[in-house]
Amino acid sequence: MHDVAGKEIIQDMETCPLVSIIVLTFNSEATLLETLNSLLKQEYSPIEIIICDDGSKDHTVEVATQWIAENEQHFQRVVILAAAANQGICSNVHKGYAEAKGVWIKPIAGDDFIFPGAIARYVEFAQKTNCAVVVSAVLPFVDSSKIDVSKDKVIPGQQDIEIIAGSSSGLQQALYVRNLIPAPGILLRRADYNEVGGIDRRFFHLDDWPLWLNLLAKNKNFAYLAEPLVAYRISESTISAARNATGMNQQFLEDHVTLYKNYQIANLNGLQRWDRMLEIFRFKLAKGALRPYPRIYQMTGLLRLSSPLYVALKLGISKNSREKLDSQFVAR
């Protein structure tokens, strides 16, 4: 089999299991072609593509439909699942993963893209390490025409890399405090995903963080691949919203309250619990009483001075990252 450029595609059913690429879209018409065309540059087979649209109001579905008509012959299967109305990222991810037939699942947002040869590299590494989840480096970008992998900074940072590449117990404890897994960079074994019950449907936007914790609770292992295989688009709206929680999606803030109640509170030590409780209290204010008053909300940051962990971080006594809503991983 050959790709659109005529290159021979790796195809050996014994060593190359089916990979399901789940393309998650919502009002993605301006960027979707770049995402989908990056899938044509994968020198690997078999691949199935499942495009899951979460009730887009623009021409995302039409763009996807036209692309499928022109390119579906290059893949084992290509389908589009379009919701009539927006139901949230968790519902969209659940829908796509449920449709997947591959041994491995690779999610990608409709405004990000996968570098050439990435899928082959993911599978090779996954088989070598026999892990449930591969976490690759991710390259954040604003303008794809200016990307230079040799110069640009990738995520996660070195401290988080050491945790991800370390013991499962260490990663689990770190994840109780904060989400350090860059979701755009993961490859997930479908059987393990199904074993833990899939996406926790109590959440609207927060699909990945609870899933990591549920996988680790079932003794599933993660492995870090120190190569940037995915480019993650940081939009101006995401950056500006992350400057103040009052600009964030209210349901996303509520998801963090749900996470605290169901996953964190029972697994944090006293100081961690106090630090996180302060943040949860501020998130409640940000989605409620203080939402119309971002400047007043900023003043609530003084509450953090009552957290020994926060003070230690600011004084340079502790090098551990304080829990925060990281703009790099805010669900869109």
Side-chain angles (χ1 to χ4, degrees):
M1 186 175 181
H2 294 73
D3 67 5
V4 290
K7 297 179 181 178
E8 184 176 354
I9 295 177
I10 300 169
Q11 187 172 30
D12 181 338
M13 295 303 293
E14 294 185 0
T15 59
C16 299
L18 177 64
V19 174
S20 301
I21 300 180
I22 315 297
V23 183
L24 303 162
T25 64
F26 177 67
N27 292 342
S28 307
E29 67 171 337
T31 58
L32 182 56
L33 281 181
E34 185 170 28
T35 301
L36 294 176
N37 287 337
S38 75
L39 308 185
L40 290 169
K41 300 175 183 178
Q42 302 306 310
E43 299 173 13
Y44 180 94
S45 182
I47 289 175
E48 68 171 1
I49 297 175
I50 301 166
I51 303 171
C52 294
D53 185 72
D54 195 18
S56 290
K57 302 302 182 183
D58 62 4
H59 297 289
T60 296
V61 174
E62 290 89 335
V63 170
T65 302
Q66 181 63 35
W67 185 89
I68 291 173
E70 296 172 356
N71 297 287
E72 63 181 335
Q73 71 272 18
H74 300 293
F75 304 96
Q76 178 160 310
R77 185 171 75 116
V78 185
V79 298
I80 182 167
L81 307 175
N86 182 261
Q87 298 178 359
I89 185 65
C90 287
S91 177
N92 207 31
V93 171
H94 170 77
K95 178 175 62 179
Y97 286 16
E99 179 67 22
K101 302 182 184 302
V103 174
W104 296 97
I105 293 174
K106 176 70 195 104
I108 186 75
D111 57 355
D112 302 338
F113 62 88
I114 302 175
F115 288 115
I119 297 300
R121 186 69 184 103
Y122 268 121
V123 173
E124 176 188 24
F125 186 79
Q127 292 177 326
K128 178 181 177 181
T129 57
N130 191 30
C131 61
V133 182
V134 175
V135 183
S136 80
V138 172
L139 181 65
F141 72 97
V142 175
D143 184 349
S144 59
S145 68
K146 297 180 181 179
I147 284 181
D148 186 343
V149 179
S150 65
K151 296 180 181 179
D152 291 327
K153 183 178 180 180
V154 300
I155 50 178
Q158 185 57 42
Q159 178 185 344
D160 289 346
I161 289 173
E162 293 174 2
I163 297 173
I164 297 169
S167 68
S168 293
S169 60
L171 176 59
Q172 184 177 30
Q173 194 56 47
L175 282 167
Y176 283 135
V177 179
R178 62 190 180 90
N179 186 7
L180 61 159
I181 304 290
I186 70 107
L187 179 79
L188 171 65
R189 183 154 49 201
R190 185 167 64 93
D192 293 315
Y193 168 82
N194 289 335
E195 184 180 337
V196 302
I199 298 295
D200 187 334
R201 302 299 297 280
R202 289 175 293 186
F203 297 90
F204 189 83
H205 288 294
L206 207 60
D207 62 300
D208 57 334
W209 195 350
L211 178 59
W212 311 149
L213 288 169
N214 289 331
L215 285 164
L216 288 164
K218 289 288 188 179
N219 299 313
K220 306 302 180 181
N221 58 327
F222 289 57
Y224 181 71
L225 175 54
E227 299 173 24
L229 300 181
V230 176
Y232 170 77
R233 188 185 305 268
I234 301 177
S235 67
E236 292 298 328
S237 60
T238 298
I239 295 172
S240 62
R243 291 172 183 161
N244 193 308
T246 57
M248 290 181 176
N249 182 285
Q250 288 176 291
Q251 188 61 60
F252 186 71
L253 294 171
E254 181 60 33
D255 279 352
H256 277 260
V257 176
T258 302
L259 183 84
Y260 175 71
K261 292 178 179 178
N262 292 281
Y263 286 87
Q264 293 181 308
I265 190 170
N267 295 290
L268 299 175
N269 64 39
L271 291 179
Q272 290 173 333
R273 191 178 302 167
W274 175 249
D275 185 72
R276 183 60 176 160
M277 184 180 69
L278 290 173
E279 289 301 289
I280 293 299
F281 174 69
R282 296 183 70 228
F283 293 161
K284 288 181 178 180
L285 293 175
K287 74 181 184 67
L290 296 185
R291 192 164 185 84
Y293 311 105
R295 292 188 178 181
I296 297 176
Y297 171 78
Q298 286 180 325
M299 295 174 63
T300 67
L302 293 173
L303 292 172
R304 287 182 265 174
L305 295 177
S306 68
S307 167
L309 293 181
Y310 177 81
V311 173
L313 177 66
K314 286 300 182 182
L315 293 177
I317 298 172
S318 170
K319 294 183 179 180
N320 292 325
S321 299
R322 182 182 60 82
E323 160 61 26
K324 63 182 182 300
L325 291 178
D326 192 329
S327 64
Q328 295 173 340
F329 308 132
V330 171
R332 291 158 294 167

